[in-house]
Amino acid sequence: MLPIVFEGQVKAVMELASFDRFNPTHETFLDQLTESIGIVLNTIEANMRTEDLLKQSQSLARELQSQQEELQQTNAELEDKAKLLAIRMWKWNGKIRKWNRPVRRWKKRPSSLP
C-alpha cells in the first residue's frame, strides 16, 4: 500500500503486488511515481474546481445579462410613460390657461362677464 500524497494531504492509496520484494531502485521509483501521481491528482482536482467556478460565473453572467435587458426594457417603458405624461401636462396647462383667460379678464373688469 502506497499513499498518494500532495502537500501533506493524502489524495489516494495505491496497492501494489509483486512476487519478489521491491529493491531500493524500485522503491525510489515508486516514491517518485506516487509523488507525480499526487501532483496529477491535485491538478485534476484544481481543474475541476476551476471548471465548476467557470460554469457558475457564466451562469451568473447570463442571469445578469437577462436582468440588464429587463431593466432596459423597463426604463424604455418608463421613458415612454414620462413623455406621454409630459404631453398630457402640457395639454392640461394649455386648457387651464384657456379657462383662466376669462377669469383674468373678469378680475381686471368684473363687468365684462355676463
Side-chain angles (χ1 to χ4, degrees):
M1 301 290 271
L2 295 171
I4 309 295
V5 179
F6 181 79
E7 294 183 348
Q9 186 178 20
V10 176
K11 297 288 185 179
V13 177
M14 184 167 55
E15 183 176 2
L16 296 175
S18 174
F19 292 112
D20 299 318
R21 281 183 105 14
F22 292 119
N23 66 37
T25 304
H26 290 138
E27 289 177 3
T28 302
F29 171 74
L30 291 173
D31 286 342
Q32 291 173 353
L33 179 64
T34 57
E35 185 179 325
S36 295
I37 292 172
I39 292 169
V40 169
L41 290 177
N42 188 69
T43 301
I44 291 169
E45 188 180 322
N47 287 343
M48 289 172 65
R49 279 194 311 265
T50 302
E51 188 176 329
D52 287 343
L53 289 171
L54 176 61
K55 286 178 183 176
Q56 188 178 27
S57 174
Q58 290 170 338
S59 174
L60 289 171
R62 284 190 298 272
E63 187 177 328
L64 285 173
Q65 178 67 29
S66 174
Q67 289 177 354
Q68 182 180 14
E69 290 169 1
E70 288 176 22
L71 284 173
Q72 287 173 343
Q73 182 179 353
T74 301
N75 283 343
E77 290 171 3
L78 287 173
E79 284 180 20
D80 291 344
K81 288 179 181 180
K83 288 175 186 175
L84 184 59
L85 182 61
I87 291 169
R88 287 181 180 168
M89 292 296 291
W90 181 77
K91 287 180 180 178
W92 273 105
N93 283 338
K95 287 180 182 180
I96 291 171
R97 275 189 239 109
K98 186 176 176 183
W99 292 335
N100 281 339
R101 280 186 205 135
V103 174
R104 279 190 226 117
R105 275 185 279 179
W106 181 75
K107 285 183 177 179
K108 290 180 185 174
R109 299 176 284 209
S111 61
S112 65
L113 288 176

